[in-house]
Amino acid sequence: MKTINNRACRNWLTASCGALALTLAMAGVAQAQTTTASIRGRVEIGNAPAASAEVVATNVQNGAVSRVRSGPDGGYVLIGVEPGTYRITATAGGKTGSEVVSVQIGQAASLDLHIGEAAAPATTSVSALVVSAKRLNETKTPEVATNITTQQIENLPQDSRNFLNFAGLVAGIAIPYDPNQKTFSSAGQPPNQTNVFIDGANLKNNILQGGLVGQDSSRGNPFSQEAISEFRVLVQNFKAEYEQGGTSIVTAVTKSGTNEFHGTVYGFFQNKDMTAEEHFAKLDGVPKPDYSRWQYGANVGGPIIKDKLFFFLNFEGNHENGNALVAFSPTFAEATPLHPAFGQFNGTFPKPFDEKVFFGKLTWLATENDTVNLSYSNRRDNEIVGFGGTTSYETRISRLNTVEDALLTWKHNGGGWLNEFLADYSHYVFNPKPVELGLINQNYFGIGDIGGATQLQDKFQKVFTVKDTVTFSDIDWHGRHVIKLGVKYAYLNEREIENNSGNPEYDYDPGQPGGWLIPFQAIWSPGGKVAELNNSQIGIFAQDDWDVTSRLQVNVGLRWDYETNPYNNNFKTPPDQVAYIEYLIGKLNPDSSVGTRNISTDFIATGHSRHGQTDEFQPRLGFSYDFSRDNDQSWVLFGGAGRYYDRTPLDNPIQEAFHSQFPYYTFQFAPTPTPGKITWNPVYLTVAGLQGLIAGGVTPGIGGELDLLNNNTKAPYSDQFSVGLRHAMGPWTASVTLSRVLGYDQFTWIWANRLTIPNSFTLITEPGAPYGVVLTNTTKKYYSTGVLVSIDKPYTEASGWGVGIAYTFEDAHKQGGDAYSLDYTFPSVYPDDNTSERHHFTANGTVRLPWDFHLSGLLTLGSGLPYNANQTFDFLASSSPTTGIHLGAAYPGGIAYKDLDLSLSRDFGTYFGKVQLRFDVFNLFNWTNYSCFTDYARDPNFGKPNCSTGFPRSVQVALRYSF
């Protein structure tokens, strides 16, 4: 029996336990995020193992060094290896052997070293070494993961320069076809259940939708594509160190300065003459709108002190001059005795979008064993939205997103152990607001909207995080172990302000006595809804990568997460709501949504009735077995199972507090004296007029919604299971994976005051109470079965070509709707709705052509997203409490989505650097990808599309200078 190397443990305890202890003292517990890689292998002299050989990995770009000694069996493990190109050298008995290899983020790569073989020339230039480096295959891992390389990011066609779009090259990942959405998802579950890490910093959106900060209702990119070096997409079997990702994870690393000065200046341009007409706009004779887009940026990096201190600076901008057409019907263009003139609002109006992203980074190689990185990023984007069609330009909204992050990381290699420390501060603001402040809104039923917008939101999260992990790699006990332990503490300040009726909305209806000339009601909420809370996220994990034999590796991990205040623990149910809830309990059927609950413990919040969830234990198990004849990892069987907890965005449960805040006024008007209504006077068409009514003693209707948050609300989680086969043959790697994902405790609102009366839809309300709508939260489930296939041959300059293929079969389903499941009494009685494409295929590749041209392409084929089939237009016509408006899910037939994008480029060398000319074409064959299908089952046009998704054919040109 072999023993644990206690010397490494003692050294770690004396030299770096301070950082870990400090984090624990601050209540921090659980995971650091992987931004590095590991290399395992054996050192041999001839055919015999080389014990105690010194293995040194030297980064050829900045001189950073990692070193370790091989064990008695010649085995070695290099941990904490940052992505890059390395010369790996093994020395024993006065002899040396070496390899130049390329290492990617998150890889558990394998490399056997043979002492005495010819080494790569030591005088080779850095650029030549980078080009000629051998890319290490990764086959012996249980993770279902794919790396997206720098070469792919720089060369594949990309319309929006959103680096996350390249996640769509990975089997099992779904990227929205709508180009204005910048999220990703997997296993048929929503984007909320994903997460993104950049340099180890967590980008999770804790308050709004979309999965990561800045991606709720924004078409801005989450990070500068030019600053991303490479990233890894983990679909299943990710280890215990990963947090807040119920389905999939993206972990990326940024570029750093090196010992050589490098810089880039670039610009991409597109205008309306470079885009084809959208299919339905062409059919309707709508002229192509003016449009132009500039995507531009620059970066520079290099040494401040050679081999010691480096810098990297990056700026990227995107400015789009779009517009939208406002076109009220000619029927209502001129004023008549029945309505005012709406033609005055028609026209084409600017709809600009502007984004600017900055990133700066310092890298300090303090010692051979210590690396410190300090970085700062800032993203700001603003878009004018909320008008077009039959909504006037006055109604536009300015939608602002701001995301900033300051990050410090410190990595210390102690010889047999590695400590990684992280401190991060992030600030996210989402602030859509009316442009025309003080201008009332007027909604004419059957005609459209004019006047100012009614929406006002100001929501933010501030997060301070500290993490610390330690990895032991020099442990031999019934095989070699790499054990990683980690802790995390994050302090969150979350604040939401929402007032979607802060600007009065006046409603006109031709069916009312005042018609389109006098409003029948005004809706106004003079005060905004405000909620603020402080929350701490705590976690701890341990994982062991155990090489049981030379063929079998087992990965065992356990993590635990805890949040102190995820659901507004200090909230107290207002007394009038308590009385109303008690009334409902007495009137509702026992099997209704609240009738079977314990009112005192489930729905009445006392400020002490909620507590953080303490049972978020997440075991994770994986294995990989090399059954190749020569034990060379060319054939590997792998699999695993695990539990993964995530978070419900605060914006969902906070509706409880929002809807407890009043007043929310509804003024009922009539043109002549009418009982229960206010006789109309034009002075009421102002905020001052409404205030005067209240001051004069007129009591408007105080409408409200009551949202009952269950005190026992749990965090969502998923259970994942997979098994697969991986094969490597030369530069080719192929894999096939069978996947099963079960998602539980997903948040949704349902009716709380619906009676379960057959062939009826009835809401029970207390006479005179302001709450007509009462909702309560419940849970819904997701489940999916998938087959994931991938084939990859990386591009190299030697071969001049590379290709990647990914195919996904996904049979995914869910119970209930989205955040609101109001069509049925419970999510469990919903029809079996599909939530993803059944078949999805991508192929990407790059080839070097004659005269030094490079051609890259990306082909995407999909069987189509599901859409609901409704049996009635009228929601209230649902004939049964267990039968709502859906019949199920329908699919377009055949290949419903097709897209082929190409990029052609050529580099020209100059005395001062390199100039690249580039030409991109998107949707080369101008395929129309249909959407907005008519979903009313009794309509003769059922299943026919009314709009398109994706891009019509378009081209862009680019110019890049680099040195």
Side-chain angles (χ1 to χ4, degrees):
M1 178 182 296
K2 296 181 180 180
T3 60
I4 299 175
N5 188 326
N6 292 317
R7 177 177 56 83
C9 296
R10 287 196 301 269
N11 287 344
W12 174 77
L13 287 171
T14 57
S16 93
C17 192
L20 180 61
L22 173 63
T23 311
L24 284 168
M26 296 175 66
V29 280
Q31 81 272 352
Q33 195 57 42
T34 296
T35 58
T36 58
S38 65
I39 304 175
R40 296 171 179 240
R42 294 184 182 277
V43 183
E44 296 180 345
I45 298 180
N47 294 321
S52 298
E54 184 181 47
V55 180
V56 180
T58 304
N59 188 312
V60 302
Q61 294 164 308
N62 64 13
V65 172
S66 296
R67 65 180 74 237
V68 71
R69 287 198 175 272
S70 63
D73 60 351
Y76 75 95
V77 180
L78 286 164
I79 57 176
V81 180
E82 296 189 357
T85 301
Y86 289 82
R87 181 188 295 275
I88 313 292
T89 303
T91 304
K95 296 182 179 180
T96 299
S98 70
E99 292 264 12
V100 177
V101 298
S102 174
V103 182
Q104 295 179 292
I105 180 175
Q107 276 191 318
S110 297
L111 176 66
D112 290 337
L113 297 167
H114 301 279
I115 290 178
E117 295 186 356
T123 56
T124 305
S125 68
V126 170
S127 58
L129 280 173
V130 172
V131 170
S132 62
K134 178 174 70 175
R135 177 180 170 181
L136 295 180
N137 285 332
E138 181 188 31
T139 57
K140 197 174 179 181
T141 175
E143 290 185 337
V144 183
T146 300
N147 284 74
I148 306 300
T149 66
T150 305
Q151 186 274 332
Q152 290 173 304
I153 295 173
E154 292 180 348
N155 291 279
L156 291 178
Q158 165 70 277
D159 182 86
S160 64
R161 293 188 57 79
N162 173 25
F163 84 93
L164 286 179
N165 279 352
F166 291 122
L169 305 179
V170 178
I173 296 294
I175 299 295
Y177 290 144
D178 182 350
N180 293 327
Q181 295 185 32
K182 303 299 178 70
T183 59
F184 68 100
S185 60
S186 65
Q189 299 196 48
N192 292 344
Q193 301 302 301
T194 63
N195 203 355
V196 174
F197 297 85
I198 295 182
D199 289 338
N202 186 339
L203 269 64
K204 191 71 172 184
N205 197 334
N206 287 273
I207 56 173
L208 298 176
Q209 314 300 316
L212 65 156
V213 290
Q215 298 313 111
D216 180 65
S217 303
S218 172
R219 44 200 294 257
N221 292 333
F223 205 82
S224 171
Q225 177 173 307
E226 202 73 17
I228 296 295
S229 176
E230 59 181 80
F231 66 96
R232 182 175 176 90
V233 184
L234 300 102
V235 180
Q236 284 207 313
N237 289 347
F238 39 97
K239 298 176 184 177
E241 60 190 301
Y242 293 97
E243 64 194 273
Q244 295 181 333
T247 57
S248 55
I249 295 283
V250 165
T251 178
V253 289
T254 57
K255 295 178 180 178
S256 302
T258 67
N259 275 325
E260 297 180 353
F261 283 100
H262 291 286
T264 302
V265 179
Y266 60 91
F268 293 76
F269 177 73
Q270 183 182 83
N271 64 19
K272 81 166 187 176
D273 297 326
M274 303 165 74
T275 63
E277 290 184 85
E278 193 275 332
H279 175 75
F280 287 93
K282 184 177 181 179
L283 290 179
D284 295 337
V286 177
K288 187 162 57 172
D290 288 334
Y291 176 77
S292 65
R293 181 184 68 196
W294 280 102
Q295 297 170 317
Y296 54 93
N299 59 70
V300 63
I304 298 175
I305 303 174
K306 189 175 181 181
D307 290 334
K308 185 65 66 172
L309 183 62
F310 312 90
F311 77 95
F312 179 79
L313 298 173
N314 180 80
F315 169 80
E316 185 161 351
N318 181 13
H319 184 73
E320 299 184 30
N321 292 310
N323 59 65
L325 178 68
V326 176
F328 285 89
S329 171
T331 305
F332 306 107
E334 302 296 333
T336 73
L338 297 179
H339 60 78
F342 291 91
Q344 61 183 312
F345 301 105
N346 287 346
T348 300
F349 301 93
K351 190 179 182 182
F353 169 77
D354 186 79
E355 180 180 36
K356 292 180 174 63
V357 184
F358 169 81
F359 175 74
K361 183 178 181 181
L362 289 173
T363 300
W364 179 31
L365 303 181
T367 71
E368 183 177 286
N369 297 320
D370 294 273
T371 301
V372 179
N373 286 288
L374 177 65
S375 65
Y376 172 77
S377 63
N378 186 295
R379 163 197 164 188
R380 182 183 177 91
D381 66 73
N382 192 22
E383 183 177 14
I384 301 300
V385 297
F387 73 96
T390 58
T391 300
S392 73
Y393 182 61
E394 297 172 323
T395 318
R396 68 193 183 280
I397 294 170
S398 173
R399 190 167 63 195
L400 175 67
N401 274 278
T402 303
V403 182
E404 62 177 339
D405 189 273
L407 175 65
L408 172 69
T409 63
W410 168 35
K411 183 180 70 173
H412 175 77
N413 195 328
W417 58 271
L418 174 74
N419 193 84
E420 297 170 283
F421 176 77
L422 174 152
D424 180 57
Y425 170 78
S426 64
H427 184 204
Y428 163 50
V429 177
F430 177 68
N431 183 210
K433 57 186 177 181
V435 175
E436 301 285 354
L437 295 173
L439 185 63
I440 64 166
N441 177 267
Q442 295 173 278
N443 178 24
Y444 292 84
F445 291 1
I447 299 179
D449 263 328
I450 63 173
T454 62
Q455 295 185 33
L456 172 62
Q457 298 183 52
D458 189 3
K459 304 179 179 182
F460 72 76
Q461 69 177 39
K462 296 179 181 179
V463 185
F464 175 71
T465 304
V466 288
K467 301 180 182 180
D468 196 87
T469 64
V470 60
T471 306
F472 299 100
S473 60
D474 195 11
I475 300 175
D476 287 332
W477 182 76
H478 296 286
R480 180 176 290 273
H481 297 259
V482 175
I483 295 177
K484 192 169 188 177
L485 311 171
V487 297
K488 166 197 168 181
Y489 173 77
Y491 175 79
L492 292 80
N493 174 234
E494 302 165 299
R495 179 180 172 90
E496 298 200 30
I497 300 175
E498 183 177 294
N499 193 356
N500 290 334
S501 298
N503 187 27
E505 174 190 321
Y506 293 82
D507 294 327
Y508 300 78
D509 187 344
Q512 296 289 334
W516 283 315
L517 298 177
I518 295 175
F520 71 91
Q521 69 176 10
I523 300 173
W524 181 44
S525 179
K529 304 168 183 177
V530 182
E532 183 171 8
L533 58 86
N534 297 320
N535 183 21
S536 293
Q537 295 176 347
I538 302 167
I540 187 167
F541 79 88
Q543 65 187 38
D544 180 10
D545 298 341
W546 177 17
D547 286 323
V548 182
T549 69
S550 62
R551 292 182 178 271
L552 175 63
Q553 183 182 103
V554 176
N555 309 89
V556 181
L558 178 66
R559 70 167 298 106
W560 173 78
D561 286 299
Y562 175 73
E563 277 193 75
T564 60
N565 188 19
Y567 298 113
N568 197 15
N569 293 353
N570 297 325
F571 178 75
K572 296 181 181 180
T573 306
D576 64 317
Q577 291 189 2
V578 172
Y580 189 54
I581 296 170
E582 291 174 342
Y583 170 84
L584 288 180
I585 293 295
K587 294 291 185 179
L588 289 169
N589 301 315
D591 59 345
S592 70
S593 58
V594 298
T596 58
R597 312 292 180 87
N598 185 318
I599 183 171
S600 61
T601 59
D602 285 357
F603 297 125
I604 306 301
T606 64
H608 304 286
S609 52
R610 297 174 187 167
H611 307 281
Q613 188 174 345
T614 59
D615 61 351
E616 293 185 17
F617 291 97
Q618 300 156 74
R620 301 177 186 181
L621 174 66
F623 76 92
S624 58
Y625 181 74
D626 175 10
F627 63 93
S628 58
R629 176 180 298 178
D630 299 325
N631 195 14
D632 59 1
Q633 301 181 26
S634 58
W635 287 98
V636 174
L637 178 70
F638 63 93
R643 174 160 292 184
Y644 304 84
Y645 273 94
D646 210 316
R647 299 294 178 267
T648 297
L650 180 64
D651 205 45
N652 288 340
I654 208 65
Q655 300 305 314
E656 172 195 50
F658 276 179
H659 289 112
S660 69
Q661 299 176 31
F662 282 91
Y664 182 85
Y665 296 130
T666 301
F667 301 83
Q668 297 288 332
F669 299 115
T672 59
T674 303
K677 295 189 177 182
I678 303 167
T679 304
W680 176 250
N681 186 321
V683 73
Y684 302 149
L685 201 62
T686 62
V687 170
L690 299 181
Q691 290 173 333
L693 282 172
I694 297 173
V698 175
T699 304
I702 303 178
E705 177 178 314
L706 178 58
D707 289 359
L708 310 178
L709 187 68
N710 194 312
N711 292 325
N712 298 311
T713 300
K714 302 293 186 181
Y717 70 93
S718 65
D719 289 336
Q720 301 183 10
F721 311 88
S722 65
V723 63
L725 182 65
R726 193 176 290 121
H727 177 51
M729 184 175 62
W732 290 87
T733 303
S735 69
V736 58
T737 305
L738 177 62
S739 161
R740 178 69 170 169
V741 179
L742 306 173
Y744 300 96
D745 288 349
Q746 301 282 341
F747 190 100
T748 190
W749 293 103
I750 63 173
W751 293 109
N753 57 333
R754 179 177 179 176
L755 292 175
T756 53
I757 301 175
N759 302 316
S760 167
F761 182 93
T762 303
L763 297 179
I764 184 69
T765 58
E766 183 179 14
Y771 309 106
V773 175
V774 185
L775 305 178
T776 185
N777 70 298
T778 189
T779 60
K780 60 182 180 180
K781 298 179 182 179
Y782 287 82
Y783 48 99
S784 71
T785 300
V787 178
L788 317 179
V789 180
S790 64
I791 303 172
D792 178 62
K793 187 271 178 190
Y795 177 89
T796 63
E797 286 296 327
S799 67
W801 66 281
V803 65
I805 296 173
Y807 166 74
T808 304
F809 168 82
E810 193 83 68
D811 183 23
H813 304 264
K814 70 174 180 179
Q815 296 177 344
D818 47 22
Y820 293 87
S821 300
L822 305 180
D823 301 334
Y824 298 81
T825 50
F826 297 101
S828 59
V829 298
Y830 265 69
D832 191 19
D833 280 358
N834 293 275
T835 58
S836 67
E837 280 191 308
R838 184 63 60 92
H839 304 278
H840 188 80
F841 174 88
T842 64
N844 75 90
T846 300
V847 60
R848 186 176 61 241
L849 301 176
W851 303 295
D852 289 330
F853 281 94
H854 283 79
L855 178 67
S856 297
L858 174 59
L859 173 67
T860 303
L861 304 174
S863 61
L865 294 170
Y867 58 91
N868 287 317
N870 301 330
Q871 66 180 357
T872 176
F873 285 126
D874 184 3
F875 169 74
L876 295 179
S878 300
S879 61
S880 167
T882 57
T883 302
I885 63 174
H886 300 300
L887 295 176
Y891 288 91
I895 300 176
Y897 186 89
K898 298 179 290 184
D899 182 83
L900 175 62
D901 303 334
L902 296 177
S903 177
L904 182 67
S905 64
R906 191 184 191 282
D907 293 338
F908 299 87
T910 71
Y911 180 78
F912 298 100
K914 182 174 64 177
V915 175
Q916 181 188 78
L917 296 177
R918 176 167 171 164
F919 176 84
D920 294 336
V921 56
F922 307 102
N923 195 359
L924 174 67
F925 296 109
N926 201 27
W927 286 315
T928 299
N929 295 302
Y930 296 106
S931 189
C932 306
F933 294 92
T934 300
D935 59 3
Y936 178 44
R938 301 173 190 174
D939 192 312
N941 292 317
F942 173 71
K944 293 185 177 180
N946 295 284
C947 73
S948 64
T949 189
F951 294 100
R953 180 170 50 228
S954 61
V955 300
Q956 72 178 10
V957 293
L959 179 66
R960 178 187 295 270
Y961 166 70
S962 57
F963 64 89

